[in-house]
Amino acid sequence: MRVLCLILSHFPLKCEIQRQPDRANCPSLVLQPKDSAGSQKLVLDYSPELEDIQRDMPLQQALSRHGEVELIQSDMPYYWSIFNEILDALELKSPLVEGADLGTVYIGLDGLQLIYPDDHFLIQSIREVIPEPFSAQIGIAEGKFPAYLAALHSQ
């Protein structure tokens, strides 16, 4: 079964940028929800220009590398609301849509060749429903894992 994987990188941060566009201009860290991180605060997401930061990194370690960042408390219900809106829009393109994780979507392609003459038209149609400021990495392969790897390595 051919599968399209759609990765919306830095999804929590881009949700915050959609809510407050001026955040696009300053380096930011989105913090894990308070109840899931225990006593230590962890990074949920970060601005792409902060290359040496990773998800689940302790906040203190991240701040030692980049002291001049904006800290944003995560708003998981808001992120899931935005993600569900995107999933609903994608379901208008294909009935086989699965939201695997926040920012990662799998779309089954069986039968869509009758609607989209080739992969280029399908990808163009998918990109049309992705709102600003989100950018999508897309991969197509036989199965979920190869499609995920293809999306990770796509522009």
Side-chain angles (χ1 to χ4, degrees):
M1 177 171 152
R2 284 180 22 106
V3 175
L4 180 144
C5 178
L6 172 74
I7 299 174
L8 301 169
S9 59
H10 298 285
F11 190 79
L13 177 67
K14 291 190 178 170
C15 286
E16 294 293 343
I17 291 171
Q18 185 180 35
R19 189 175 359 200
Q20 294 182 345
D22 57 316
R23 287 192 165 148
N25 301 324
C26 71
S28 303
L29 298 174
V30 180
L31 305 179
Q32 292 272 6
K34 290 180 183 180
D35 54 16
S36 69
S39 61
Q40 187 177 29
K41 292 185 179 182
L42 301 175
V43 174
L44 173 66
D45 200 5
Y46 54 91
S47 297
E49 65 267 18
L50 304 175
E51 294 174 356
D52 55 346
I53 303 295
Q54 298 176 2
R55 185 181 172 140
D56 296 327
M57 175 182 275
L59 177 59
Q60 289 303 94
Q61 185 178 358
L63 289 176
S64 71
R65 296 178 183 190
H66 300 280
E68 299 293 320
V69 294
E70 180 181 359
L71 300 178
I72 304 169
Q73 290 296 326
S74 63
D75 185 351
M76 296 307 285
Y78 175 69
Y79 306 155
W80 278 105
S81 169
I82 298 295
F83 189 59
N84 286 329
E85 287 176 15
I86 292 171
L87 291 176
D88 289 345
L90 289 171
E91 286 176 347
L92 297 175
K93 304 297 179 179
S94 169
L96 303 173
V97 175
E98 175 189 342
D101 191 18
L102 192 62
T104 303
V105 180
Y106 294 105
I107 301 173
L109 301 183
D110 289 349
L112 293 183
Q113 65 274 13
L114 300 173
I115 300 171
Y116 305 103
D118 61 30
D119 290 345
H120 172 75
F121 287 103
L122 172 65
I123 291 170
Q124 184 178 4
S125 177
I126 298 282
R127 288 193 187 279
E128 289 172 359
V129 302
I130 306 299
E132 290 292 329
F134 302 100
S135 57
Q137 293 174 269
I138 297 175
I140 297 175
E142 293 290 329
K144 288 182 182 180
F145 186 67
Y148 179 77
L149 291 177
L152 276 179
H153 296 290
S154 74
Q155 296 177 354

